[in-house]
Amino acid sequence: MEADPPASPHSSPHGGTGRPGSGRGLDGLAQVANKIRDAVESVIEGKPKVVRLALTVLLAEGHLLIEDVPGVGKTMLAKALARSVDCSVRRVQFTPDLLPSDITGVSAYNQELREFEFKPGPVFANIVVGDEINRASPKTQSALLECMEERQVTVDGTTYALERPFMVISTQNPVEMEGTYPLPEAQRDRFTARISMGYPDPAAELEMLDVHGQASPLDRLTPVAHAADVRDLIEVVRQQHVAQTVRQYAIELVSATRSHPELRLGASPRATLHLVRAARAYAALDERDYVVPDDIQDLAVPVLAHRLLPTAEAQVERRRPEQVVTDLVRRLPVPSPRK
């Protein structure tokens, strides 16, 4: 990990620095991010925190798992985020008979050329929307492992790079489990965050009836940013400063899950990396060029909980991983600002 920069007159109390030009970059990020957020919220009513988390994952170069009961807008959120950016978007409906080649593509013999040529699958897009991912077999689910982590696909010994930005947004229903294949730990670990939509409050549901009553707002949604804009925003996010004390706090939080008595599987080092990356994007959306412990705390549950496996005793007591992470956030001492 890189060392902290020397203190300067522009240093923030949390260790961030007011680098020349960084404010201009953050201003531009805020303008574009606000346009995307407003576009998504024109479709998804009453869920500003969920929309912000989705945008955070996009700017952190991550992947998003949306898990909730039917009819709360999981696929609508994924489609709205995808349509808000003028980039290539492909949707895949996961079913038990879907094959890995249906995701990655296949080499087919061309009779005219008398040679095999590669036919790219739907994963060759900037945003891939995977609907009901847990309905596909583990073999098909595993087709996403390489592309999610390495941004590339290997077919018949040949590796093909995926265009950036690249984001997988998958949905799954945790209630209707008949005929489904739960995501293995290695697959869940590649998702930066898992979010739940939740039911809308009565006011938002009433507004939904007015807005969605005659036509879907998705039909009126037009792109407000380009793929190049998103790539520029990602570069700004990468420059966000994370002080040594904040990085250490993130490591301590993740490490605590590995020795917790109520967990039989804690979070991986990849979880630490995703947590810090997401915190950079989260801070940038607040127009800050430095990460504070509050960013780590706000993202701890969505970034860590889906990677954890509770013990049998914790399951009997109905102790969910989200509760364990929340308890750890409350218990661990928060680093004090550097003076």
Side-chain angles (χ1 to χ4, degrees):
M1 294 182 179
E2 69 269 20
D4 286 338
S8 73
H10 302 288
S11 295
S12 77
H14 297 281
T17 58
R19 294 181 299 278
S22 62
R24 189 186 315 154
L26 288 177
D27 287 343
L29 182 146
Q31 292 174 7
V32 177
N34 287 340
K35 290 180 180 179
I36 299 176
R37 183 202 62 201
D38 293 343
V40 176
E41 288 185 352
S42 69
V43 178
I44 305 296
E45 293 85 10
K47 297 293 178 182
K49 292 183 179 180
V50 170
V51 173
R52 177 173 179 175
L53 275 173
L55 193 52
T56 296
V57 174
L58 173 64
L59 298 183
E61 288 190 285
H63 308 290
L64 183 65
L65 180 62
I66 309 174
E67 183 180 280
D68 215 323
V69 297
V72 293
K74 300 186 299 295
T75 305
M76 188 74 76
L77 172 63
K79 287 182 177 180
L81 182 60
R83 292 192 184 186
S84 298
V85 181
D86 187 13
C87 61
S88 56
V89 180
R90 297 292 295 274
R91 179 180 178 274
V92 182
Q93 180 65 53
F94 282 82
T95 56
D97 61 346
L98 198 69
L99 299 176
S101 58
D102 295 329
I103 304 292
T104 60
V106 64
S107 293
Y109 187 74
N110 188 314
Q111 293 284 359
E112 296 181 357
L113 300 177
R114 294 187 178 183
E115 64 181 20
F116 283 92
E117 61 178 352
F118 179 63
K119 303 290 186 180
V123 78
F124 285 86
N126 294 119
I127 297 180
V128 179
V129 179
D131 210 1
E132 296 187 293
I133 188 174
N134 57 334
R135 292 203 174 277
S137 67
K139 184 177 181 180
T140 302
Q141 292 175 3
S142 65
L144 288 172
L145 292 178
E146 181 184 11
C147 65
M148 291 176 68
E149 181 65 19
E150 302 174 43
R151 266 69 175 181
Q152 66 182 31
V153 172
T154 302
V155 178
D156 295 335
T158 303
T159 299
Y160 305 90
L162 299 175
E163 184 182 355
R164 295 173 183 261
F166 174 73
M167 181 182 187
V168 174
I169 308 175
S170 294
T171 70
Q172 70 173 0
N173 175 8
V175 177
E176 186 183 350
M177 300 306 293
E178 183 178 353
T180 64
Y181 304 86
L183 292 178
E185 288 74 22
Q187 185 85 49
R188 292 201 306 269
D189 196 39
R190 280 165 169 78
F191 284 100
T192 300
R194 179 186 64 183
I195 62 176
S196 296
M197 300 293 294
Y199 292 112
D201 57 50
E205 196 161 4
L206 180 60
E207 184 178 354
M208 180 191 71
L209 293 178
D210 295 334
V211 175
H212 296 250
Q214 297 178 345
S216 172
L218 271 175
D219 299 334
R220 302 189 299 270
L221 189 60
T222 57
V224 295
H226 299 278
D229 296 328
V230 176
R231 286 193 291 268
D232 291 342
L233 300 187
I234 289 172
E235 289 301 320
V236 174
V237 168
R238 286 177 176 176
Q239 303 305 314
Q240 298 295 93
H241 176 64
V242 186
Q244 180 70 24
T245 53
V246 177
R247 281 177 283 172
Q248 189 63 41
Y249 177 60
I251 292 174
E252 291 174 359
L253 180 58
V254 174
S255 298
T257 66
R258 301 168 188 164
S259 58
H260 198 282
E262 293 183 285
L263 299 175
R264 59 188 176 94
L265 178 66
S268 67
R270 184 189 286 121
T272 312
L273 182 61
H274 285 182
L275 182 59
V276 173
R277 283 180 178 174
R280 283 190 170 108
Y282 202 75
L285 291 175
D286 275 346
E287 299 185 60
R288 280 184 282 107
D289 65 347
Y290 56 91
V291 175
V292 297
D294 286 352
D295 300 324
I296 301 293
Q297 292 178 335
D298 290 345
L299 294 167
V301 170
V303 173
L304 300 181
H306 65 286
R307 309 169 194 263
L308 310 178
L309 290 181
T311 61
E313 293 79 6
Q315 289 178 315
V316 170
E317 296 177 2
R318 297 186 177 181
R319 284 276 292 174
R320 295 176 55 82
E322 291 85 348
Q323 295 172 296
V324 174
V325 175
T326 300
D327 291 345
L328 287 174
V329 168
R330 292 173 179 169
R331 192 181 70 196
L332 288 178
V334 180
S336 59
R338 188 177 63 180
K339 297 182 180 179

